[in-house]
Amino acid sequence: MSPAPIELHRLGRRPYQPVWEAMRELTDCRDEHTPDQFWLVEHDPVFTQGQAGKPEHLLMPGDIPVVNTDRGGQVTYHGPGQVVLYPLLDVRRGKIGVRELVSALENAVIDVLARHGVDAWAKLDAPGVYTRTVMGEAKIASLGLRIRRGASYHGVALNVDGDLSPFGRINPCGYAGMQVTRLGDLVTLDDGADIGGALALALAEQLGRSLVDSAS
């Protein structure tokens, strides 16, 4: 029997902290009947510090709040104009390994960018997705996961058309001087382009699953 479709929940623009708390609550309350879900969201400006985060990588946060979170990785920035996709999956039930899920997230981003004519790639030693700009290699998507009680949360953030200047206040993902780019600097985006929906569908395809849009 094929697995049930993954439910896609479009949350719109939300502050980071309540969404993170809701992800943890769903993960902690999961049972065998809880459906797998993707949460698609755009966050208010925030720096998030992963479990491996070092204070020296947070250079000048200024008026942007900093949240110490329980995902893997170092510090990154979330804000308007960035597509964030959280896969809330029962990885034990789906027999999905952590490396498999990381690769699926990276490959989903790579697929979406390829459809816009942008060549991109992943790195084994530095999770995320990278592309080539006039300034050289630059990161276009950041990735951080947490597996708890056999389920995944957190996910991937793709820079689409938002302000990138806050990345200058940190060492992105712990790398001093790392260049960061956005899709809107590489191609002309159509008005109303549903990059988030395309990313969710690409991830479902990577996982060999179907996707159904939820009303919530």
Side-chain angles (χ1 to χ4, degrees):
M1 187 172 69
S2 59
I6 297 171
E7 296 180 356
L8 174 60
H9 297 260
R10 297 175 182 264
L11 306 185
R13 180 167 166 176
R14 303 278 184 96
Y16 179 81
Q17 183 99 20
V19 175
W20 171 36
E21 291 171 355
M23 286 194 291
R24 287 191 300 175
E25 181 179 3
L26 176 68
T27 301
D28 287 346
C29 295
R30 265 189 177 280
D31 62 25
E32 66 273 19
H33 305 295
T34 305
D36 287 336
Q37 302 174 26
F38 289 166
W39 289 6
L40 196 58
V41 65
E42 180 181 72
H43 286 305
D44 295 338
V46 65
F47 293 117
T48 66
Q49 183 79 286
Q51 288 185 311
K54 297 179 180 178
E56 59 264 32
H57 294 311
L58 194 62
L59 306 177
M60 298 178 296
D63 58 348
I64 298 177
V66 179
V67 176
N68 290 299
T69 185
D70 59 349
R71 62 165 172 77
Q74 300 273 345
V75 66
T76 194
Y77 168 74
H78 296 309
Q82 183 187 70
V83 166
V84 182
L85 181 63
Y86 294 130
L88 302 169
L89 307 175
D90 187 329
V91 295
R92 184 181 296 144
R93 178 174 63 201
K95 297 180 173 58
I96 306 167
V98 177
R99 182 66 246 178
E100 182 183 354
L101 181 53
V102 168
S103 294
L105 284 160
E106 291 171 334
N107 289 333
V109 172
I110 291 167
D111 287 349
V112 169
L113 295 176
R115 291 170 200 166
H116 287 82
V118 176
D119 186 34
W121 55 87
K123 297 180 177 182
L124 280 176
D125 60 340
V129 177
Y130 303 81
T131 189
R132 185 72 57 190
T133 72
V134 293
M135 301 294 292
E137 184 180 83
K139 193 167 194 175
I140 194 168
S142 301
L143 190 150
L145 283 174
R146 176 73 190 269
I147 306 296
R148 180 161 150 176
R149 300 183 69 246
S152 66
Y153 60 111
H154 296 293
V156 66
L158 170 61
N159 300 324
V160 178
D161 58 3
D163 178 15
L164 297 182
S165 63
F167 283 101
R169 303 191 197 183
I170 61 174
N171 291 330
C173 304
Y175 291 91
M178 174 181 281
Q179 298 294 314
V180 177
T181 192
R182 60 187 179 178
L183 181 57
D185 285 341
L186 305 174
V187 299
T188 300
L189 294 172
D190 295 333
D191 290 341
D194 185 10
I195 304 298
L199 181 59
L201 184 58
L203 180 56
E205 289 172 350
Q206 286 289 329
L207 296 171
R209 301 282 297 277
S210 58
L211 188 68
V212 59
D213 234 313
S214 169
S216 65

